[in-house]
Structures are given as structure tokens and as C-alpha cells.
Amino acid sequence: MIPFASDAVPRYAIYRSLSEASGMDGRLVERKLREVGEDVSESVAQSGNSMKALSALNELFSVASEGNWDGESGIAVTPQVFANARRFLEQVPTRWETPEVSADPDGEISFEWSSDVRRRFSVSIGSDERISSAWLVGSERGHSVNIFLSEVPRQLLDHVDQVLAG
Amino acid sequence: MVLPVQVHPDETLARFIATAGRINKETLRPRVELFMPHPYFELSVFRTTEISHQACRDLGQREFADKLSIPTALVGWTDLKARHIFERKLTLDTSSPPNDPSHERPANVMGWPAFPGDRKMEKALHKEIALELVAAASTVRFASAGANEAAK
């Protein structure tokens, strides 16, 4: 357990507990999603891993939906970015482990999968359909920009499979 | 202590952390976002070779966490050898702010590649570089007393 909590640490410095996120944060997320026309009643059949990631995404959004959320002039995550990130997460294969979910300083949302120090894949989801990603697999590395509309691009699937195969 | 302007490849650099969200909770390594330059093409680090854990913590609190728009408690930092910066074709600028005694041991990682007109491609490339830096960086040293032991 990482000893993150401190009385001296402001709100943005702590990602709050999931139990807390499911209450107040859940309502905030629901309200924000309605703002961009998302169907909040949609029930998504998800694996345990995906549910964990969705909870982390909700939690993140509740913290990072205001500017300067990180104290370093981080740009706010908008409802549209959040909705796109959620849609992406709903499309990832259930066999994958739960990704790390975080907000980028530019207001995009990142998902990261890793199985070792040099086996990592990171993708950033923004407000449009173009998504930036990069990967590191041993001595090989690369980056790309892909279009995400309704399905996770094949190239990204292959890279994450490669990363998690290690 | 007066440091030479030129950074030696074996020098240790600290990238300070004010947000727990920048740490992978499973591996205790920094997340890639910690090494992404934003909003400018530079990344702030500090030259910390041969200073103690406590001195590094005090430096981070004083020179980084206290100077944020909302001063906060330092969460920790990750160490990185300067050679990993140079290996990625990046540079270290130690000239800013020039001769300002109120700033200690700063350096800026510069030379990030640009893709004018395609911010997404630019970000993807920066992400690739940041992944390499994360792989080369240490696990996070926590600022709070005893936190490193508790995290093990």
C-alpha cells in the first residue's frame, strides 16, 4: 500500500478511494456524461478487470475535471474526453489486465499496460478520434497515431498483446 | 556547492512528484505522464548527485512543491542518470534562471522533437521517449518518513 495520504496534501494530490468514488463521484460523472449526450443508463457487460478500470476512470474524472487538477497547470479533462475514454475502455479485450488510468497534463486520458520495466504500452484518448500511442517491448519501441471510432485499432491490439505476453 | 554548467552523463537527476496519480501503484515506478513535456517543450529536473535523501526531499519541497500554484506536500521523486537523457538525443539546459540564488540545482530537459501541425503525432513521439525514460528511472523515493519501507 502506497502511503499517499497526508493531511497536508490537497485534494488533487490524492486519488480517493473507490468506495467514495461510487457515491458523490458517480453522480458527478453521470451529470457530466449527460452533458455530452451519453446514455448513462446503458449497462455494459464487463469483466472484473474492465469494471476496475471503469471505476478508476470515474474516480480520475472526478478529480481531473477541473483545471490545475495536478497543481502543475494540468488542463481539465472534459466530458467529451471522458466519454471517448470510456468508450475505448469498453472495447478492449476482456483478457487484458486492468490498465493504469491517468490524466495527461494536456487534458487527455491515458491507459497504460505493462508487464515489465521494458514492456509497456501507453495510449492517450482525447476529444477527437485520433489517438496517440507508444510502446516499448525489450529493445524495440515505436509510436503511432490511429483512428478510434468504434473498435480498438488492430495495430494497438497487437502491441498490447505483445507487451502482456512477456 | 557550485555545479558546473555542463552536466556529466553520470550525474543523478531528480524528477519531483507532487501528485500520487503520477505513480504506478503496482510497480511504484513513475507513470509515463511524469516525463511528458507540457505545456512547453521542456521538463524540469534537479541535479541531485551526492546529496542525501533528506537534502533531496528538502530541495524538492522548497524548489518544486512550494512553488506550485497551490503549494503542496512533496510526494516523492524518481532518479535518472543524465546519460539516459542524452541517449534520447535530448539536452540539459542549466542556464535558467541565470545566477539566481533563489533557485537551486535546476535543469531543463530540452530538445524535444516537434511535428508542426500534428500535435497528436508529436505527442506519440514524446510518449515513446517518455517510456524510455520511465524504464531508465528508479522506483519512486517517497518524501514522507518511513514511506519507502512501508511501500516495499
PDB file of all heavy atoms in Angstrom, chain A residues 132-166:
ATOM      1  N   SER A 132      -3.086   8.918 -29.714  1.00  0.00           N
ATOM      2  CA  SER A 132      -1.625   8.789 -29.752  1.00  0.00           C
ATOM      3  C   SER A 132      -1.201   7.633 -28.868  1.00  0.00           C
ATOM      4  O   SER A 132      -1.693   7.499 -27.744  1.00  0.00           O
ATOM      5  CB  SER A 132      -0.962  10.068 -29.216  1.00  0.00           C
ATOM      6  OG  SER A 132      -1.472  11.212 -29.835  1.00  0.00           O
ATOM      7  N   SER A 133      -0.282   6.825 -29.369  1.00  0.00           N
ATOM      8  CA  SER A 133       0.193   5.714 -28.544  1.00  0.00           C
ATOM      9  C   SER A 133       1.684   5.488 -28.762  1.00  0.00           C
ATOM     10  O   SER A 133       2.261   5.959 -29.754  1.00  0.00           O
ATOM     11  CB  SER A 133      -0.582   4.436 -28.859  1.00  0.00           C
ATOM     12  OG  SER A 133      -0.311   4.021 -30.182  1.00  0.00           O
ATOM     13  N   ALA A 134       2.276   4.778 -27.809  1.00  0.00           N
ATOM     14  CA  ALA A 134       3.687   4.405 -27.928  1.00  0.00           C
ATOM     15  C   ALA A 134       3.892   3.114 -27.159  1.00  0.00           C
ATOM     16  O   ALA A 134       3.115   2.790 -26.258  1.00  0.00           O
ATOM     17  CB  ALA A 134       4.584   5.515 -27.390  1.00  0.00           C
ATOM     18  N   TRP A 135       4.920   2.383 -27.538  1.00  0.00           N
ATOM     19  CA  TRP A 135       5.164   1.102 -26.894  1.00  0.00           C
ATOM     20  C   TRP A 135       6.653   0.836 -26.779  1.00  0.00           C
ATOM     21  O   TRP A 135       7.473   1.402 -27.513  1.00  0.00           O
ATOM     22  CB  TRP A 135       4.494  -0.025 -27.675  1.00  0.00           C
ATOM     23  CG  TRP A 135       4.913  -0.095 -29.111  1.00  0.00           C
ATOM     24  CD1 TRP A 135       5.942  -0.803 -29.655  1.00  0.00           C
ATOM     25  CD2 TRP A 135       4.312   0.629 -30.200  1.00  0.00           C
ATOM     26  NE1 TRP A 135       6.026  -0.581 -30.996  1.00  0.00           N
ATOM     27  CE2 TRP A 135       5.045   0.291 -31.361  1.00  0.00           C
ATOM     28  CE3 TRP A 135       3.239   1.531 -30.292  1.00  0.00           C
ATOM     29  CZ2 TRP A 135       4.733   0.823 -32.615  1.00  0.00           C
ATOM     30  CZ3 TRP A 135       2.935   2.057 -31.544  1.00  0.00           C
ATOM     31  CH2 TRP A 135       3.668   1.700 -32.674  1.00  0.00           C
ATOM     32  N   LEU A 136       6.956  -0.021 -25.846  1.00  0.00           N
ATOM     33  CA  LEU A 136       8.329  -0.421 -25.575  1.00  0.00           C
ATOM     34  C   LEU A 136       8.261  -1.916 -25.314  1.00  0.00           C
ATOM     35  O   LEU A 136       7.568  -2.373 -24.398  1.00  0.00           O
ATOM     36  CB  LEU A 136       8.810   0.325 -24.331  1.00  0.00           C
ATOM     37  CG  LEU A 136      10.271   0.285 -23.938  1.00  0.00           C
ATOM     38  CD1 LEU A 136      11.127   0.887 -25.040  1.00  0.00           C
ATOM     39  CD2 LEU A 136      10.466   1.073 -22.644  1.00  0.00           C
ATOM     40  N   VAL A 137       8.944  -2.676 -26.153  1.00  0.00           N
ATOM     41  CA  VAL A 137       8.980  -4.133 -25.960  1.00  0.00           C
ATOM     42  C   VAL A 137      10.434  -4.560 -26.076  1.00  0.00           C
ATOM     43  O   VAL A 137      10.965  -4.723 -27.176  1.00  0.00           O
ATOM     44  CB  VAL A 137       8.115  -4.875 -26.998  1.00  0.00           C
ATOM     45  CG1 VAL A 137       8.157  -6.379 -26.748  1.00  0.00           C
ATOM     46  CG2 VAL A 137       6.677  -4.381 -26.963  1.00  0.00           C
ATOM     47  N   GLY A 138      11.097  -4.706 -24.944  1.00  0.00           N
ATOM     48  CA  GLY A 138      12.524  -5.008 -24.952  1.00  0.00           C
ATOM     49  C   GLY A 138      13.288  -3.872 -25.594  1.00  0.00           C
ATOM     50  O   GLY A 138      13.160  -2.725 -25.183  1.00  0.00           O
ATOM     51  N   SER A 139      14.052  -4.201 -26.640  1.00  0.00           N
ATOM     52  CA  SER A 139      14.844  -3.154 -27.300  1.00  0.00           C
ATOM     53  C   SER A 139      14.046  -2.477 -28.421  1.00  0.00           C
ATOM     54  O   SER A 139      14.528  -1.539 -29.041  1.00  0.00           O
ATOM     55  CB  SER A 139      16.127  -3.758 -27.864  1.00  0.00           C
ATOM     56  OG  SER A 139      15.799  -4.786 -28.784  1.00  0.00           O
ATOM     57  N   GLU A 140      12.850  -2.980 -28.681  1.00  0.00           N
ATOM     58  CA  GLU A 140      12.028  -2.377 -29.742  1.00  0.00           C
ATOM     59  C   GLU A 140      11.085  -1.333 -29.154  1.00  0.00           C
ATOM     60  O   GLU A 140      10.569  -1.502 -28.054  1.00  0.00           O
ATOM     61  CB  GLU A 140      11.217  -3.452 -30.460  1.00  0.00           C
ATOM     62  CG  GLU A 140      12.057  -4.415 -31.264  1.00  0.00           C
ATOM     63  CD  GLU A 140      11.203  -5.465 -31.960  1.00  0.00           C
ATOM     64  OE1 GLU A 140       9.995  -5.216 -32.138  1.00  0.00           O
ATOM     65  OE2 GLU A 140      11.753  -6.525 -32.295  1.00  0.00           O
ATOM     66  N   ARG A 141      10.865  -0.307 -29.908  1.00  0.00           N
ATOM     67  CA  ARG A 141       9.930   0.727 -29.464  1.00  0.00           C
ATOM     68  C   ARG A 141       9.332   1.404 -30.682  1.00  0.00           C
ATOM     69  O   ARG A 141       9.850   1.264 -31.795  1.00  0.00           O
ATOM     70  CB  ARG A 141      10.640   1.747 -28.576  1.00  0.00           C
ATOM     71  CG  ARG A 141      11.751   2.492 -29.265  1.00  0.00           C
ATOM     72  CD  ARG A 141      12.357   3.542 -28.348  1.00  0.00           C
ATOM     73  NE  ARG A 141      13.298   4.377 -29.063  1.00  0.00           N
ATOM     74  CZ  ARG A 141      14.594   4.127 -29.158  1.00  0.00           C
ATOM     75  NH1 ARG A 141      15.090   3.070 -28.560  1.00  0.00           N
ATOM     76  NH2 ARG A 141      15.388   4.923 -29.836  1.00  0.00           N
ATOM     77  N   GLY A 142       8.253   2.121 -30.453  1.00  0.00           N
ATOM     78  CA  GLY A 142       7.625   2.819 -31.565  1.00  0.00           C
ATOM     79  C   GLY A 142       6.487   3.696 -31.094  1.00  0.00           C
ATOM     80  O   GLY A 142       6.175   3.741 -29.897  1.00  0.00           O
ATOM     81  N   HIS A 143       5.893   4.383 -32.030  1.00  0.00           N
ATOM     82  CA  HIS A 143       4.753   5.241 -31.700  1.00  0.00           C
ATOM     83  C   HIS A 143       3.846   5.318 -32.912  1.00  0.00           C
ATOM     84  O   HIS A 143       4.277   5.050 -34.039  1.00  0.00           O
ATOM     85  CB  HIS A 143       5.227   6.637 -31.285  1.00  0.00           C
ATOM     86  CG  HIS A 143       5.897   7.394 -32.394  1.00  0.00           C
ATOM     87  ND1 HIS A 143       7.241   7.236 -32.688  1.00  0.00           N
ATOM     88  CD2 HIS A 143       5.410   8.274 -33.296  1.00  0.00           C
ATOM     89  CE1 HIS A 143       7.548   8.014 -33.707  1.00  0.00           C
ATOM     90  NE2 HIS A 143       6.456   8.656 -34.104  1.00  0.00           N
ATOM     91  N   SER A 144       2.611   5.677 -32.690  1.00  0.00           N
ATOM     92  CA  SER A 144       1.687   5.821 -33.826  1.00  0.00           C
ATOM     93  C   SER A 144       0.505   6.694 -33.439  1.00  0.00           C
ATOM     94  O   SER A 144       0.242   6.928 -32.253  1.00  0.00           O
ATOM     95  CB  SER A 144       1.183   4.456 -34.302  1.00  0.00           C
ATOM     96  OG  SER A 144       0.344   3.876 -33.330  1.00  0.00           O
ATOM     97  N   VAL A 145      -0.179   7.140 -34.456  1.00  0.00           N
ATOM     98  CA  VAL A 145      -1.468   7.819 -34.278  1.00  0.00           C
ATOM     99  C   VAL A 145      -2.486   7.007 -35.063  1.00  0.00           C
ATOM    100  O   VAL A 145      -2.259   6.687 -36.229  1.00  0.00           O
ATOM    101  CB  VAL A 145      -1.423   9.274 -34.800  1.00  0.00           C
ATOM    102  CG1 VAL A 145      -2.803   9.907 -34.744  1.00  0.00           C
ATOM    103  CG2 VAL A 145      -0.433  10.094 -33.986  1.00  0.00           C
ATOM    104  N   ASN A 146      -3.560   6.628 -34.416  1.00  0.00           N
ATOM    105  CA  ASN A 146      -4.585   5.801 -35.055  1.00  0.00           C
ATOM    106  C   ASN A 146      -5.947   6.466 -34.908  1.00  0.00           C
ATOM    107  O   ASN A 146      -6.132   7.349 -34.074  1.00  0.00           O
ATOM    108  CB  ASN A 146      -4.647   4.410 -34.398  1.00  0.00           C
ATOM    109  CG  ASN A 146      -3.347   3.646 -34.561  1.00  0.00           C
ATOM    110  OD1 ASN A 146      -2.401   3.836 -33.806  1.00  0.00           O
ATOM    111  ND2 ASN A 146      -3.275   2.798 -35.562  1.00  0.00           N
ATOM    112  N   ILE A 147      -6.862   5.985 -35.720  1.00  0.00           N
ATOM    113  CA  ILE A 147      -8.238   6.468 -35.635  1.00  0.00           C
ATOM    114  C   ILE A 147      -9.040   5.486 -34.785  1.00  0.00           C
ATOM    115  O   ILE A 147      -9.038   4.283 -35.049  1.00  0.00           O
ATOM    116  CB  ILE A 147      -8.881   6.562 -37.040  1.00  0.00           C
ATOM    117  CG1 ILE A 147      -8.048   7.465 -37.969  1.00  0.00           C
ATOM    118  CG2 ILE A 147     -10.323   7.064 -36.939  1.00  0.00           C
ATOM    119  CD1 ILE A 147      -7.994   8.910 -37.532  1.00  0.00           C
ATOM    120  N   PHE A 148      -9.693   6.009 -33.772  1.00  0.00           N
ATOM    121  CA  PHE A 148     -10.582   5.178 -32.959  1.00  0.00           C
ATOM    122  C   PHE A 148     -12.007   5.695 -33.129  1.00  0.00           C
ATOM    123  O   PHE A 148     -12.323   6.811 -32.724  1.00  0.00           O
ATOM    124  CB  PHE A 148     -10.182   5.223 -31.480  1.00  0.00           C
ATOM    125  CG  PHE A 148     -11.204   4.594 -30.578  1.00  0.00           C
ATOM    126  CD1 PHE A 148     -11.478   3.238 -30.659  1.00  0.00           C
ATOM    127  CD2 PHE A 148     -11.907   5.360 -29.658  1.00  0.00           C
ATOM    128  CE1 PHE A 148     -12.430   2.658 -29.846  1.00  0.00           C
ATOM    129  CE2 PHE A 148     -12.851   4.791 -28.830  1.00  0.00           C
ATOM    130  CZ  PHE A 148     -13.117   3.435 -28.929  1.00  0.00           C
ATOM    131  N   LEU A 149     -12.833   4.862 -33.762  1.00  0.00           N
ATOM    132  CA  LEU A 149     -14.245   5.220 -33.927  1.00  0.00           C
ATOM    133  C   LEU A 149     -15.096   4.322 -33.034  1.00  0.00           C
ATOM    134  O   LEU A 149     -15.657   4.777 -32.043  1.00  0.00           O
ATOM    135  CB  LEU A 149     -14.658   5.112 -35.402  1.00  0.00           C
ATOM    136  CG  LEU A 149     -13.966   6.119 -36.337  1.00  0.00           C
ATOM    137  CD1 LEU A 149     -14.283   5.816 -37.791  1.00  0.00           C
ATOM    138  CD2 LEU A 149     -14.362   7.543 -35.989  1.00  0.00           C
ATOM    139  N   SER A 150     -15.147   3.048 -33.382  1.00  0.00           N
ATOM    140  CA  SER A 150     -15.944   2.144 -32.556  1.00  0.00           C
ATOM    141  C   SER A 150     -15.154   0.908 -32.117  1.00  0.00           C
ATOM    142  O   SER A 150     -15.546   0.224 -31.189  1.00  0.00           O
ATOM    143  CB  SER A 150     -17.203   1.714 -33.309  1.00  0.00           C
ATOM    144  OG  SER A 150     -16.834   1.086 -34.516  1.00  0.00           O
ATOM    145  N   GLU A 151     -14.061   0.637 -32.791  1.00  0.00           N
ATOM    146  CA  GLU A 151     -13.260  -0.534 -32.434  1.00  0.00           C
ATOM    147  C   GLU A 151     -11.812  -0.125 -32.188  1.00  0.00           C
ATOM    148  O   GLU A 151     -11.295   0.768 -32.860  1.00  0.00           O
ATOM    149  CB  GLU A 151     -13.297  -1.575 -33.562  1.00  0.00           C
ATOM    150  CG  GLU A 151     -14.650  -2.226 -33.735  1.00  0.00           C
ATOM    151  CD  GLU A 151     -14.624  -3.325 -34.790  1.00  0.00           C
ATOM    152  OE1 GLU A 151     -13.576  -3.474 -35.459  1.00  0.00           O
ATOM    153  OE2 GLU A 151     -15.639  -4.013 -34.932  1.00  0.00           O
ATOM    154  N   VAL A 152     -11.176  -0.825 -31.251  1.00  0.00           N
ATOM    155  CA  VAL A 152      -9.768  -0.553 -30.989  1.00  0.00           C
ATOM    156  C   VAL A 152      -8.969  -0.992 -32.223  1.00  0.00           C
ATOM    157  O   VAL A 152      -9.134  -2.122 -32.706  1.00  0.00           O
ATOM    158  CB  VAL A 152      -9.285  -1.338 -29.747  1.00  0.00           C
ATOM    159  CG1 VAL A 152      -7.797  -1.095 -29.510  1.00  0.00           C
ATOM    160  CG2 VAL A 152     -10.092  -0.938 -28.522  1.00  0.00           C
ATOM    161  N   PRO A 153      -8.130  -0.102 -32.765  1.00  0.00           N
ATOM    162  CA  PRO A 153      -7.365  -0.446 -33.972  1.00  0.00           C
ATOM    163  C   PRO A 153      -6.536  -1.719 -33.796  1.00  0.00           C
ATOM    164  O   PRO A 153      -5.956  -1.940 -32.732  1.00  0.00           O
ATOM    165  CB  PRO A 153      -6.460   0.779 -34.169  1.00  0.00           C
ATOM    166  CG  PRO A 153      -7.172   1.887 -33.486  1.00  0.00           C
ATOM    167  CD  PRO A 153      -7.875   1.268 -32.319  1.00  0.00           C
ATOM    168  N   ARG A 154      -6.502  -2.519 -34.843  1.00  0.00           N
ATOM    169  CA  ARG A 154      -5.798  -3.812 -34.823  1.00  0.00           C
ATOM    170  C   ARG A 154      -4.348  -3.661 -34.374  1.00  0.00           C
ATOM    171  O   ARG A 154      -3.825  -4.459 -33.598  1.00  0.00           O
ATOM    172  CB  ARG A 154      -5.857  -4.386 -36.243  1.00  0.00           C
ATOM    173  CG  ARG A 154      -5.238  -5.747 -36.444  1.00  0.00           C
ATOM    174  CD  ARG A 154      -6.112  -6.834 -35.874  1.00  0.00           C
ATOM    175  NE  ARG A 154      -5.442  -7.493 -34.763  1.00  0.00           N
ATOM    176  CZ  ARG A 154      -6.015  -8.372 -33.961  1.00  0.00           C
ATOM    177  NH1 ARG A 154      -7.286  -8.679 -34.087  1.00  0.00           N
ATOM    178  NH2 ARG A 154      -5.347  -8.954 -32.998  1.00  0.00           N
ATOM    179  N   GLN A 155      -3.697  -2.637 -34.868  1.00  0.00           N
ATOM    180  CA  GLN A 155      -2.285  -2.416 -34.543  1.00  0.00           C
ATOM    181  C   GLN A 155      -2.089  -2.271 -33.026  1.00  0.00           C
ATOM    182  O   GLN A 155      -1.135  -2.818 -32.456  1.00  0.00           O
ATOM    183  CB  GLN A 155      -1.791  -1.149 -35.249  1.00  0.00           C
ATOM    184  CG  GLN A 155      -0.304  -0.876 -35.056  1.00  0.00           C
ATOM    185  CD  GLN A 155       0.112   0.489 -35.601  1.00  0.00           C
ATOM    186  OE1 GLN A 155      -0.729   1.371 -35.818  1.00  0.00           O
ATOM    187  NE2 GLN A 155       1.400   0.663 -35.829  1.00  0.00           N
ATOM    188  N   LEU A 156      -3.007  -1.571 -32.383  1.00  0.00           N
ATOM    189  CA  LEU A 156      -2.889  -1.374 -30.944  1.00  0.00           C
ATOM    190  C   LEU A 156      -3.130  -2.685 -30.197  1.00  0.00           C
ATOM    191  O   LEU A 156      -2.438  -2.988 -29.216  1.00  0.00           O
ATOM    192  CB  LEU A 156      -3.870  -0.303 -30.453  1.00  0.00           C
ATOM    193  CG  LEU A 156      -3.767   1.089 -31.093  1.00  0.00           C
ATOM    194  CD1 LEU A 156      -4.518   2.115 -30.244  1.00  0.00           C
ATOM    195  CD2 LEU A 156      -2.326   1.520 -31.244  1.00  0.00           C
ATOM    196  N   LEU A 157      -4.100  -3.442 -30.680  1.00  0.00           N
ATOM    197  CA  LEU A 157      -4.373  -4.744 -30.055  1.00  0.00           C
ATOM    198  C   LEU A 157      -3.119  -5.613 -30.082  1.00  0.00           C
ATOM    199  O   LEU A 157      -2.749  -6.251 -29.087  1.00  0.00           O
ATOM    200  CB  LEU A 157      -5.513  -5.460 -30.793  1.00  0.00           C
ATOM    201  CG  LEU A 157      -6.898  -4.832 -30.718  1.00  0.00           C
ATOM    202  CD1 LEU A 157      -7.858  -5.583 -31.632  1.00  0.00           C
ATOM    203  CD2 LEU A 157      -7.428  -4.832 -29.291  1.00  0.00           C
ATOM    204  N   ASP A 158      -2.462  -5.635 -31.220  1.00  0.00           N
ATOM    205  CA  ASP A 158      -1.264  -6.459 -31.372  1.00  0.00           C
ATOM    206  C   ASP A 158      -0.158  -6.003 -30.423  1.00  0.00           C
ATOM    207  O   ASP A 158       0.528  -6.823 -29.813  1.00  0.00           O
ATOM    208  CB  ASP A 158      -0.754  -6.403 -32.820  1.00  0.00           C
ATOM    209  CG  ASP A 158      -1.694  -7.117 -33.779  1.00  0.00           C
ATOM    210  OD1 ASP A 158      -2.557  -7.890 -33.295  1.00  0.00           O
ATOM    211  OD2 ASP A 158      -1.578  -6.893 -34.993  1.00  0.00           O
ATOM    212  N   HIS A 159       0.003  -4.699 -30.300  1.00  0.00           N
ATOM    213  CA  HIS A 159       1.078  -4.194 -29.436  1.00  0.00           C
ATOM    214  C   HIS A 159       0.817  -4.520 -27.970  1.00  0.00           C
ATOM    215  O   HIS A 159       1.733  -4.910 -27.241  1.00  0.00           O
ATOM    216  CB  HIS A 159       1.256  -2.693 -29.626  1.00  0.00           C
ATOM    217  CG  HIS A 159       1.968  -2.334 -30.892  1.00  0.00           C
ATOM    218  ND1 HIS A 159       3.186  -2.871 -31.240  1.00  0.00           N
ATOM    219  CD2 HIS A 159       1.624  -1.525 -31.912  1.00  0.00           C
ATOM    220  CE1 HIS A 159       3.568  -2.395 -32.406  1.00  0.00           C
ATOM    221  NE2 HIS A 159       2.626  -1.576 -32.841  1.00  0.00           N
ATOM    222  N   VAL A 160      -0.412  -4.360 -27.528  1.00  0.00           N
ATOM    223  CA  VAL A 160      -0.701  -4.654 -26.119  1.00  0.00           C
ATOM    224  C   VAL A 160      -0.557  -6.159 -25.862  1.00  0.00           C
ATOM    225  O   VAL A 160      -0.007  -6.571 -24.835  1.00  0.00           O
ATOM    226  CB  VAL A 160      -2.109  -4.154 -25.709  1.00  0.00           C
ATOM    227  CG1 VAL A 160      -2.379  -4.498 -24.250  1.00  0.00           C
ATOM    228  CG2 VAL A 160      -2.219  -2.659 -25.914  1.00  0.00           C
ATOM    229  N   ASP A 161      -1.007  -6.968 -26.813  1.00  0.00           N
ATOM    230  CA  ASP A 161      -0.819  -8.419 -26.663  1.00  0.00           C
ATOM    231  C   ASP A 161       0.660  -8.762 -26.521  1.00  0.00           C
ATOM    232  O   ASP A 161       1.052  -9.595 -25.706  1.00  0.00           O
ATOM    233  CB  ASP A 161      -1.407  -9.159 -27.882  1.00  0.00           C
ATOM    234  CG  ASP A 161      -2.902  -9.407 -27.727  1.00  0.00           C
ATOM    235  OD1 ASP A 161      -3.388  -9.455 -26.576  1.00  0.00           O
ATOM    236  OD2 ASP A 161      -3.592  -9.543 -28.751  1.00  0.00           O
ATOM    237  N   GLN A 162       1.479  -8.095 -27.304  1.00  0.00           N
ATOM    238  CA  GLN A 162       2.927  -8.309 -27.260  1.00  0.00           C
ATOM    239  C   GLN A 162       3.488  -7.915 -25.884  1.00  0.00           C
ATOM    240  O   GLN A 162       4.304  -8.622 -25.305  1.00  0.00           O
ATOM    241  CB  GLN A 162       3.573  -7.425 -28.325  1.00  0.00           C
ATOM    242  CG  GLN A 162       4.535  -8.144 -29.244  1.00  0.00           C
ATOM    243  CD  GLN A 162       5.200  -7.166 -30.199  1.00  0.00           C
ATOM    244  OE1 GLN A 162       4.584  -6.172 -30.620  1.00  0.00           O
ATOM    245  NE2 GLN A 162       6.439  -7.437 -30.545  1.00  0.00           N
ATOM    246  N   VAL A 163       3.039  -6.786 -25.400  1.00  0.00           N
ATOM    247  CA  VAL A 163       3.509  -6.289 -24.097  1.00  0.00           C
ATOM    248  C   VAL A 163       3.116  -7.256 -22.989  1.00  0.00           C
ATOM    249  O   VAL A 163       3.928  -7.590 -22.110  1.00  0.00           O
ATOM    250  CB  VAL A 163       2.919  -4.887 -23.821  1.00  0.00           C
ATOM    251  CG1 VAL A 163       3.012  -4.525 -22.348  1.00  0.00           C
ATOM    252  CG2 VAL A 163       3.647  -3.844 -24.653  1.00  0.00           C
ATOM    253  N   LEU A 164       1.880  -7.721 -23.038  1.00  0.00           N
ATOM    254  CA  LEU A 164       1.388  -8.563 -21.943  1.00  0.00           C
ATOM    255  C   LEU A 164       1.863 -10.011 -22.060  1.00  0.00           C
ATOM    256  O   LEU A 164       1.737 -10.776 -21.100  1.00  0.00           O
ATOM    257  CB  LEU A 164      -0.146  -8.515 -21.903  1.00  0.00           C
ATOM    258  CG  LEU A 164      -0.729  -7.143 -21.561  1.00  0.00           C
ATOM    259  CD1 LEU A 164      -2.252  -7.183 -21.603  1.00  0.00           C
ATOM    260  CD2 LEU A 164      -0.257  -6.675 -20.193  1.00  0.00           C
ATOM    261  N   ALA A 165       2.412 -10.349 -23.202  1.00  0.00           N
ATOM    262  CA  ALA A 165       2.901 -11.714 -23.387  1.00  0.00           C
ATOM    263  C   ALA A 165       4.210 -11.950 -22.628  1.00  0.00           C
ATOM    264  O   ALA A 165       4.658 -13.081 -22.484  1.00  0.00           O
ATOM    265  CB  ALA A 165       3.097 -12.019 -24.865  1.00  0.00           C
ATOM    266  N   GLY A 166       4.832 -10.883 -22.159  1.00  0.00           N
ATOM    267  CA  GLY A 166       6.147 -11.008 -21.528  1.00  0.00           C
ATOM    268  C   GLY A 166       6.109 -11.619 -20.151  1.00  0.00           C
ATOM    269  O   GLY A 166       5.084 -11.749 -19.544  1.00  0.00           O
TER     270      GLY A 166
END
